[in-house]
Amino acid sequence: MEIDNLTPAEERVWRAFPRGRDVDFRESSADDPARGAGWGPERTVRASVLRALLLSAPQEDGEIAALRLAGARITGVLRLQYADIDHAVRLSDCFFEEPPVLYGARLRQLNLRGSVLPGLVAATVRVDGVLRVSDCRFDGPVRLGGAQIAGALFMDGARLEGPPAGQPALQLNHLTVGDGLSATGLRVRGEIRLTGASVAGSITLNQSRMEVAPGGVALDAETLAVEGDVLLRGVDVRGWIGLRGARVAGRLDLSHARLSNPGDAALRASSCTIGELWVRRSPPMEGTLNLRRAQLDVLFLEPESVPDEVLLDSLVYTSLSPPEPAERRLQMLERDGEGYVPHAYEQLTAAYRRIGDDAAARLVQLAKQRRHRGTLPWYGRLWGYVQDATVGYGFRPLRAAGWLVSLLVLGSAAYALHHPEPLKPDEAPQFNPVFYTLDLLLPVISFGQEGAFAPDGWHQWLSYALVLTGWILATTVVTGVTRTVSRQ
């Protein structure tokens, strides 16, 4: 391109490029790029001129060429597909009439901070340094699928709206970032796709807002791999978040978050591996919390933040915080959409035992037996009620002592008032109502009283009742002792 064909604004940019000088068309710091369609020729630059600069402009010895342009209206399509560009590119606070086309290109560094664009086509782009689109406003989709960014990706304060029907607003699938992804305050109307992405640092989405149609995907991050943290503090999400199969080495932080997807899952984190999951100081999710088959080192889950329905089958966690009474934690297990899930009770029991709270662990096990009772046929439920009332399924052994003492007093008093007749008067020992009652109650121990005397009338029915009750108490006590020994 000949310099004689350039407008005064373009000539200014052309002459500044070889020395890497800034060209700023902004009239004040309050200039709004959203009104860039009305900017005149004094700040209008053709995309073809920028392309020619980046691909074939002459260099000056001893200078580092760079494109540093601010406050310009860029007309036409900036086509750099498959280009190999060794210069830093900064097009900040600019207004683009057409989406830049950068797919397959290699750039040293790209900065579009504060610009307004109808979209960005940059799939499989490779950036040797940092890619910055902070505070940008996109009226169409941003396509960065398969991009490779050696440094960090900055999207803080960016706004994305109006993607075509059926397309995600932000495509980051299979993205590779050598540092972190920072997007604090991001505003997206449409789907964010992070499937298969790999981030060597952390992902920061604090204070972001994501909104899709009811039941739609707000953030799809299946098989995402993050070596640091995923921070979603204070986010407002309308739609569901999918993390199935994701791996987060650090912390997934949903503190102060509002997740809403009524009638469906709000958070799908099944089959994922996470160092720490924090759900704290947040209103209850509007939708289901799905943690099936997830593996967590630390689960920081406040009971107040638990939604009305959870899915916890095969969830494994090492530590459960904050410390809460078992009664409050059991409410979460009772909300499982799959009904009675034994594994969930075993995990909660193990968490209490690891911190030395055996009383809470026994309470969880008792709740497990009661919940299991509801799945049994009528005769199984009946036997369960007997075990619960007598010794609390073996987790309340003192109840058995209370029952035995009560029955011993009752039987001793009854037989003291009416001695049963001896079977062989010449051989019978002296009758003792206390030891006679103990002989009836204890199925193994014998004091020689039961076989020597034969009650009659209603006392005989009382003896049957004592024998039957003794067997029930003995069976439940043995069950409880067996559980205690097996736990130790």
Side-chain angles (χ1 to χ4, degrees), residues 226-293:
V226 181
E227 298 302 323
D229 302 326
V230 177
L231 305 179
L232 293 161
R233 299 174 185 166
V235 298
D236 188 350
V237 181
R238 310 292 174 171
W240 57 266
I241 296 177
L243 291 167
R244 184 178 180 275
R247 182 178 62 83
V248 180
R251 181 172 72 251
L252 174 60
D253 193 344
L254 286 160
S255 302
H256 305 279
R258 299 180 63 90
L259 306 185
S260 177
N261 191 34
D264 201 350
L267 176 62
R268 299 178 180 178
S270 58
S271 302
C272 62
T273 303
I274 301 174
E276 300 182 16
L277 172 59
W278 287 23
V279 182
R280 55 189 289 271
R281 300 185 180 180
S282 305
M285 297 180 189
E286 297 179 19
T288 304
L289 172 61
N290 185 347
L291 294 176
R292 287 184 294 190
R293 300 178 300 280

Side-chain angles (χ1 to χ4, degrees), residues 81-121:
Q81 64 269 31
Y82 304 117
D84 195 341
I85 300 170
D86 290 325
H87 316 295
V89 179
R90 188 183 70 193
L91 300 170
S92 57
D93 295 307
C94 293
F95 176 84
F96 288 77
E97 287 189 347
E98 301 291 340
V101 179
L102 307 175
Y103 61 81
R106 186 193 69 82
L107 298 97
R108 186 171 184 177
Q109 183 168 312
L110 178 60
N111 186 347
L112 300 173
R113 184 184 182 97
S115 294
V116 174
L117 308 93
L120 178 62
V121 182

Side-chain angles (χ1 to χ4, degrees), residues 133-156:
V133 293
S134 301
D135 300 315
C136 285
R137 280 170 281 182
F138 296 94
D139 295 326
V142 175
R143 299 171 182 169
L144 285 167
Q148 299 180 46
I149 303 171
L153 172 58
F154 292 98
M155 304 190 70
D156 304 276

Side-chain angles (χ1 to χ4, degrees), residues 291-294 311-316 336 338 341-344:
L291 294 176
R292 287 184 294 190
R293 300 178 300 280
L311 296 172
L312 304 175
D313 190 18
S314 299
L315 167 66
V316 177
D336 199 299
E338 296 182 336
V341 179
H343 184 269

Side-chain angles (χ1 to χ4, degrees), residues 152-153 155 172 175 177 179-183 194 199 202-205:
L153 172 58
M155 304 190 70
L172 300 174
L175 169 77
V177 181
D179 195 346
L181 193 166
S182 179
L194 261 170
V199 179
S202 296
I203 295 178
T204 304
L205 289 164

Side-chain angles (χ1 to χ4, degrees), residues 190-471:
E191 178 187 348
I192 299 176
R193 188 170 293 172
L194 261 170
T195 55
S198 177
V199 179
S202 296
I203 295 178
T204 304
L205 289 164
N206 295 335
Q207 309 303 321
S208 295
R209 180 178 176 85
M210 310 168 203
E211 184 175 355
V212 293
V217 184
L219 175 60
D220 187 355
E222 288 192 2
T223 66
L224 169 70
V226 181
E227 298 302 323
D229 302 326
V230 177
L231 305 179
L232 293 161
R233 299 174 185 166
V235 298
D236 188 350
V237 181
R238 310 292 174 171
W240 57 266
I241 296 177
L243 291 167
R244 184 178 180 275
R247 182 178 62 83
V248 180
R251 181 172 72 251
L252 174 60
D253 193 344
L254 286 160
S255 302
H256 305 279
R258 299 180 63 90
L259 306 185
S260 177
N261 191 34
D264 201 350
L267 176 62
R268 299 178 180 178
S270 58
S271 302
C272 62
T273 303
I274 301 174
E276 300 182 16
L277 172 59
W278 287 23
V279 182
R280 55 189 289 271
R281 300 185 180 180
S282 305
M285 297 180 189
E286 297 179 19
T288 304
L289 172 61
N290 185 347
L291 294 176
R292 287 184 294 190
R293 300 178 300 280
Q295 296 187 27
L296 315 173
D297 288 335
V298 177
L299 176 58
F300 195 115
L301 180 60
E302 292 181 340
E304 296 81 5
S305 301
V306 177
D308 292 336
E309 183 177 358
V310 297
L311 296 172
L312 304 175
D313 190 18
S314 299
L315 167 66
V316 177
Y317 52 87
T318 303
S319 174
L320 180 61
S321 295
E324 293 283 351
E327 293 84 355
R328 285 169 58 80
R329 292 296 185 191
L330 286 169
Q331 295 175 8
M332 177 178 68
L333 274 56
E334 293 168 358
R335 299 175 186 178
D336 199 299
E338 296 182 336
Y340 170 60
V341 179
H343 184 269
Y345 288 89
E346 293 301 323
Q347 278 294 299
L348 185 56
T349 299
Y352 279 119
R353 285 179 181 152
R354 275 190 287 268
I355 62 175
D357 194 344
D358 290 333
R362 289 193 297 271
L363 184 59
V364 174
Q365 285 294 297
L366 177 58
K368 174 189 173 184
Q369 295 297 327
R370 289 171 174 171
R371 188 82 182 274
H372 177 249
R373 184 174 64 207
T375 66
L376 300 176
W378 68 268
Y379 49 85
R381 292 196 300 272
L382 180 61
W383 176 240
Y385 281 119
V386 171
Q387 292 189 81
D388 195 359
T390 53
V391 292
Y393 287 98
F395 297 102
R396 296 287 186 268
L398 290 179
R399 287 186 184 178
W403 281 103
L404 286 172
V405 170
S406 299
L407 293 174
L408 178 61
V409 171
L410 175 64
S412 300
Y415 294 120
L417 295 175
H418 180 81
H419 291 195
E421 295 295 330
L423 293 175
K424 297 179 179 180
D426 297 337
E427 301 177 6
Q430 183 178 358
F431 179 76
N432 187 308
V434 174
F435 285 95
Y436 180 76
T437 306
L438 284 174
D439 254 353
L440 296 174
L441 286 172
L442 302 179
V444 177
I445 301 175
S446 175
F447 295 100
Q449 294 280 319
E450 179 184 3
F453 297 92
D456 57 2
W458 71 270
H459 289 85
Q460 185 177 13
W461 288 104
L462 176 60
S463 66
Y464 295 157
L466 291 175
V467 170
L468 179 62
T469 306
W471 273 104

